[in-house]
């Protein structure tokens, strides 16, 4: 049986971490990074383990600690892959599923956060042939680096969400605008505008009734997996502190405690939003520690600790829902 956590650690030590500074300064991820992920089976990771949520979370944390930009692009793939697995569009599945699992086709995702009934910023209008899509996804990662994109829009007339697969390329009715990020800029994140983009029925992954109410098991799983970004940045900070001769057993223990709390909350034992907020706050704490330990190097562009400070700030904002944000702000109030 493959030890996926060890495989991720080996890839991080051998490939990702040694190149992280160059990826950050150049704004480019070597294609060899994605080849290494594919060759080692990481694109189909969810189907190679009996515990996909925790395995994806643990592996994601380690990959983020090596190269945030690379891991950020890789993580999006699983959102679309898992949606495809649950699709009833057998023709679409036959065309794409095997290649998505192997990594021969790579995917990005624009999730349901932009297609809520309360504030639908990507809207689907049903036609005889499929759907017409309008609106703007403000934060889509991997554009130009992935092959396809899974997009969720909201159909206000039917009060349903519509998820479809599209080629990840600009066209007459879809336009990308590159966003310059303070961290993980090499992830090629864009603002994506749909202006009457036509989606045929054959490209629809699924149509579902818009859900209202509490968190589902799937919602909790997604929140847990996304928490790996903050935990991965914190791990990178503590690893760097060890490297420069300022190890801190106390912070490593806190890291473990927060990870365990997040995993427990994902199964219903605890407030998952609070656990996610604690993970984001801890990334900032770990970055502050290692920056202080490194001293003046931490304000020199290109130094590892300078990058980690930016990545910690990024982890507080990225994948943070209003509920998580509220808890962070409340905790930060004197």
């Amino acid at each position: 049986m493959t030890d996926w956590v060890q495989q991720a650690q080996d890839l991080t030590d051998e490939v990702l971490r040694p190149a992280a500074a160059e990826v950050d300064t150049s704004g480019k991820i070597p294609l060899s990074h994605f080849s290494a992920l594919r060759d080692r089976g990481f694109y189909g990771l969810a189907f190679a383990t009996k515990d996909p949520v925790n395995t994806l979370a643990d592996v994601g944390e380690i990959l983020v600690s090596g190269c945030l930009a690379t891991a950020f692009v890789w993580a999006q793939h699983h959102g679309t892959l898992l949606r495809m697995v649950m699709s009833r569009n057998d023709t679409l599945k036959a065309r794409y599923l095997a290649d998505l699992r192997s990594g021969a086709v790579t995917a990005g995702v624009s999730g349901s956060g932009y297609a809520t009934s309360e504030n639908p910023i990507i809207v689907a209008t049903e036609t005889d042939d499929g759907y017409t899509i309008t609106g703007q996804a403000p934060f889509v990662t991997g554009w130009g680096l992935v092959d396809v994109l899974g997009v969720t829009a909201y159909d206000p007339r039917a009060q349903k969400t519509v998820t479809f697969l599209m080629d990840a390329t600009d066209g007459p009715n879809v336009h990308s605008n590159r966003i310059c990020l303070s961290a993980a800029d090499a992830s090629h994140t864009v603002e994506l505008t749909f202006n009457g983009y036509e989606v045929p029925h054959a490209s629809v992954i699924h149509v579902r009734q818009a859900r209202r109410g509490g968190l589902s098991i799937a919602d909790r799983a997604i929140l847990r997996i996304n928490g790996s970004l903050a935990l991965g940045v914190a791990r990178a900070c503590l690893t760097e502190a060890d490297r420069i001769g300022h190890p801190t057993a106390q912070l490593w223990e806190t890291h473990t405690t927060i990870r365990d709390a997040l995993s427990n909350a994902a199964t219903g034992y605890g407030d998952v939003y609070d656990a996610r907020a604690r993970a984001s706050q801890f990334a900032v704490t770990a970055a502050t520690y290692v920056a202080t330990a490194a001293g003046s190097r931490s304000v020199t562009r290109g130094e590892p600790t300078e990058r980690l400070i930016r990545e910690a700030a990024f982890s507080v904002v990225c994948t943070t829902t209003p509920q998580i944000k509220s808890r962070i702000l409340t905790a930060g109030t004197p």
Side-chain angles (χ1 to χ4, degrees):
M1 181 179 293
T2 301
D3 185 339
W4 290 106
V5 170
Q6 186 58 54
Q7 286 280 337
Q9 190 63 62
D10 291 344
L11 181 61
T12 291
D13 293 340
E14 297 166 10
V15 179
L16 300 184
R17 186 177 294 115
E22 177 61 24
V23 169
D24 181 62
T25 55
S26 69
K28 296 179 181 179
I29 301 172
L31 295 180
S32 57
H33 283 195
F34 301 121
S35 296
L37 287 164
R38 181 183 63 248
D39 294 345
R40 301 187 191 203
F42 283 106
Y43 281 104
L45 180 60
F47 306 96
T49 172
K50 294 181 180 179
D51 187 6
V53 173
N54 285 319
T55 302
L56 280 169
D58 291 344
V59 165
E61 176 186 321
I62 293 170
L63 297 179
V64 164
S65 76
C67 178
L68 175 58
T70 301
F72 196 41
V73 175
W74 166 81
Q76 314 300 310
H77 177 86
H78 299 279
T80 293
L81 172 59
L82 294 174
R83 286 168 173 82
M84 186 66 75
V85 169
M86 295 183 287
S87 176
R88 295 182 179 179
N89 187 336
D90 292 334
T91 301
L92 193 65
K93 288 174 73 170
R95 180 180 176 186
Y96 284 103
L97 184 55
D99 284 343
L100 286 169
R101 288 181 63 167
S102 70
V105 172
T106 57
V109 65
S110 175
S112 57
Y114 303 144
T116 63
S117 56
E118 297 81 7
N119 183 32
I121 60 176
I122 305 178
V123 175
T125 303
E126 190 168 10
T127 67
D128 291 339
D129 301 319
Y131 293 88
T132 299
I133 310 299
T134 57
Q136 195 171 70
F139 205 78
V140 176
T141 295
W143 196 257
L145 298 175
V146 300
D147 303 308
V148 295
L149 187 71
V151 180
T152 299
Y154 182 70
D155 180 350
R157 289 189 294 187
Q159 296 186 352
K160 294 180 178 180
T161 58
V162 179
T163 300
F164 60 92
L165 195 72
M166 61 176 284
D167 291 335
T169 56
D170 284 75
N173 300 108
V174 60
H175 174 70
S176 65
N177 182 39
R178 178 79 179 268
I179 302 170
C180 182
L181 301 178
S182 61
D185 189 51
S187 65
H188 282 216
T189 295
V190 302
E191 181 182 67
L192 197 61
T193 301
F194 297 93
N195 183 21
Y197 180 76
E198 300 293 335
V199 176
H201 285 299
S203 296
V204 175
I205 298 174
H206 56 64
V207 178
R208 291 182 173 171
Q209 194 70 41
R211 195 180 58 80
R212 295 176 174 84
L215 287 170
S216 68
I217 294 174
D219 291 331
R220 287 180 176 274
I222 291 169
L223 285 166
R224 169 63 189 98
I225 292 169
N226 287 346
S228 297
L229 195 154
L231 289 173
V233 171
R235 173 181 285 271
C237 293
L238 300 183
T239 299
E240 179 65 11
D242 290 346
R243 189 188 71 82
I244 63 175
H246 289 273
T248 167
Q250 181 180 357
L251 290 184
W252 274 115
E253 290 172 5
T254 302
H255 182 272
T256 299
T257 299
I258 291 174
R259 186 202 296 115
D260 290 346
L262 185 54
S263 295
N264 289 335
T267 61
Y269 296 97
D271 184 338
V272 69
Y273 294 128
D274 182 68
R276 277 289 308 278
R278 289 178 62 201
S280 293
Q281 291 169 311
F282 182 66
V284 175
T285 296
T288 300
Y289 174 84
V290 73
T292 303
S296 59
R297 287 180 292 169
S298 300
V299 293
T300 303
R301 192 59 184 262
E303 287 291 323
T305 47
E306 183 270 337
R307 170 172 52 83
L308 291 170
I309 293 168
R310 288 185 280 112
E311 291 183 354
F314 182 87
S315 75
V316 172
V317 175
C318 185
T319 74
T320 295
T321 67
Q323 297 91 337
I324 299 168
K325 180 178 179 179
S326 174
R327 284 159 175 76
I328 293 173
L329 293 176
T330 301
T333 301

